[in-house]
Amino acid sequence: MAVLNIRKAGDMVLKKKAEPVVRIDRKIKQLLDDMSQTMYHADGVGLAAPQVGVSQRIIVIDVGEGLIELINPVITASEGSLISMEGCLSVPGIYGDVERCTTVTVEGFDRHRKKVRISATDLLAKALQHEIDHLEGILFIELAKTIHKEQKS
Ligand code: NI
């Protein structure tokens, strides 16, 4: 496993629409391992493959309830709306209030090529929407109603 370099806002890979994964092979499993290690190392709750320079539809999330790995995730249902603060490992030191759906259902595949369906609320729902946005080339700062810069103390 390896800690990968996290791409920062301004890097074109973050603006690109990511490609679907065609085959879940050893390379993809290695990437999943590296992505979760990179996320934990950076103390983040989610990471999308474009953030490590790979324009493929893969995300990892851990909001404190265990690691979730999703390949080709799609939001199949959503409900409600809530504005709350978000940050992103690709936009360090910046936070913003973003409107998200309160509840989402996401379908995708795990590393064993098994179809998975996750129904989520709260922080997990927010993280899923944030990471799936990365696959569309969208950063939260483009959606934020207000932006805050971290105050250095
Ligand atoms: Ni992000």
Side-chain angles (χ1 to χ4, degrees):
M1 286 203 272
V3 172
L4 305 173
N5 179 38
I6 298 177
R7 306 298 179 94
K8 301 298 189 301
D11 191 315
M12 285 315 290
V13 72
L14 294 172
K15 300 295 298 167
K16 264 175 74 179
K17 192 177 155 87
E19 296 291 332
V21 174
V22 179
R23 194 162 151 259
I24 301 171
D25 56 13
R26 264 188 58 192
K27 236 181 110 184
I28 296 293
K29 290 173 191 177
Q30 179 67 55
L31 177 62
L32 282 164
D33 288 340
D34 292 345
M35 282 175 64
S36 59
Q37 200 186 15
T38 303
M39 172 182 73
Y40 290 127
H41 183 261
D43 208 17
V45 297
L47 195 71
Q51 291 183 274
V52 292
V54 178
S55 194
Q56 294 207 37
R57 304 186 80 82
I58 302 172
I59 62 173
V60 295
I61 290 174
D62 190 340
V63 295
E65 300 165 359
L67 178 63
I68 294 171
E69 299 175 334
L70 281 174
I71 297 160
N72 297 341
V74 176
I75 297 173
T76 54
S78 59
E79 217 182 272
S81 111
L82 180 78
I83 295 171
S84 69
M85 190 117 108
E86 284 184 28
C88 178
L89 294 174
S90 293
V91 196
I94 307 282
Y95 298 88
D97 295 308
V98 181
E99 185 172 3
R100 298 287 187 189
C101 300
T102 321
T103 307
V104 292
T105 302
V106 174
E107 292 180 9
F109 292 87
D110 69 11
R111 62 166 64 211
H112 308 293
R113 307 181 185 92
K114 217 180 103 192
K115 191 157 189 175
V116 284
R117 180 189 286 120
I118 297 170
S119 288
T121 55
D122 305 318
L123 186 55
L124 181 55
K126 178 160 104 172
L128 284 162
Q129 292 168 85
H130 178 114
E131 299 314 328
I132 290 170
D133 271 354
H134 274 298
L135 306 181
E136 295 300 314
I138 299 165
L139 294 175
F140 83 97
I141 39 175
E142 297 162 44
L143 309 172
K145 306 201 178 286
T146 49
I147 295 278
H148 315 273
K149 286 205 171 86
E150 191 175 46
Q151 300 294 318
K152 292 261 189 269
S153 55

